[in-house]
Amino acid sequence: IITSTTTTRMLSSHEPGMHKILFMDDNVTKLELLRPILEHLGNTYYNASVTQALSTMLEWIPAGQSKGKGVAAVCSALNIDPKMELLALGDAENDVDMLEMAAIGVAMGNASPSAKRAADYVMDQHCDNGAAGDAMDLFYFKSH
């Protein structure tokens, strides 16, 4: 169980550093040209990697970090075994690690190709058309 004392201790011992830098532009081509430059800089100088949640946004994050690692930490703190008890829903490249680590990884119908490959199941519906709710009913929350 995480208490307020534990949280305060964790926050006070946290070292400063980059958490995430977002690069946003409606010009997707510009971001496609920027990505390899950021990947090179991250690999060569900054120990950072690039991921993408939207076609109009790049995320530059510390190397080795991901949404999956964050979800794994929360599962650990709550004593949840993600390989047995986690239903993960995602639609983008930044969801891949989370989808792969979950007992059941579900991609939305309009998910990126990498999210669909990582998922155990791909919904027909899109994320803005109720796919998340349908997935929860299908795999876990269905009332009897």
Side-chain angles (χ1 to χ4, degrees):
I1 296 179
I2 297 176
T3 64
S4 61
T5 305
T6 304
T7 303
T8 302
R9 196 173 317 125
M10 290 168 51
L11 290 173
S12 66
S13 65
H14 180 73
E15 295 189 26
M18 176 185 76
H19 296 283
K20 181 189 290 191
I21 299 173
L22 300 178
F23 296 87
M24 301 173 74
D25 200 307
D26 289 335
N27 184 336
V28 174
T29 302
K30 190 185 299 183
L31 293 175
E32 289 171 350
L33 294 170
L34 178 61
R35 184 174 183 147
I37 296 167
L38 293 175
E39 288 172 340
H40 172 72
L41 290 171
N43 291 332
T44 307
Y45 301 107
Y46 297 107
N47 196 28
S49 62
V50 179
T51 190
Q52 199 160 11
L54 303 168
S55 62
T56 57
M57 179 179 72
L58 295 175
E59 300 177 23
W60 208 30
I61 59 176
Q65 299 305 311
S66 67
K67 190 181 287 187
K69 286 210 175 187
V71 170
V74 170
C75 286
S76 176
L78 298 174
N79 203 25
I80 293 170
D81 179 354
K83 287 291 185 194
M84 299 296 295
E85 302 174 278
L86 179 65
L87 170 65
L89 309 172
D91 65 352
E93 176 188 332
N94 68 333
D95 297 318
V96 167
D97 289 349
M98 177 185 67
L99 292 170
E100 290 175 340
M101 68 173 266
I104 302 172
V106 180
M108 305 299 106
N110 61 331
S112 70
S114 59
K116 287 180 177 180
R117 285 191 301 273
D120 300 301
Y121 187 85
V122 177
M123 300 295 293
D124 291 331
Q125 302 91 330
H126 292 190
C127 61
D128 56 351
N129 288 335
D134 289 348
M136 288 188 288
D137 284 345
L138 181 64
F139 290 106
Y140 189 72
F141 295 105
K142 190 170 242 169
S143 58
H144 300 286

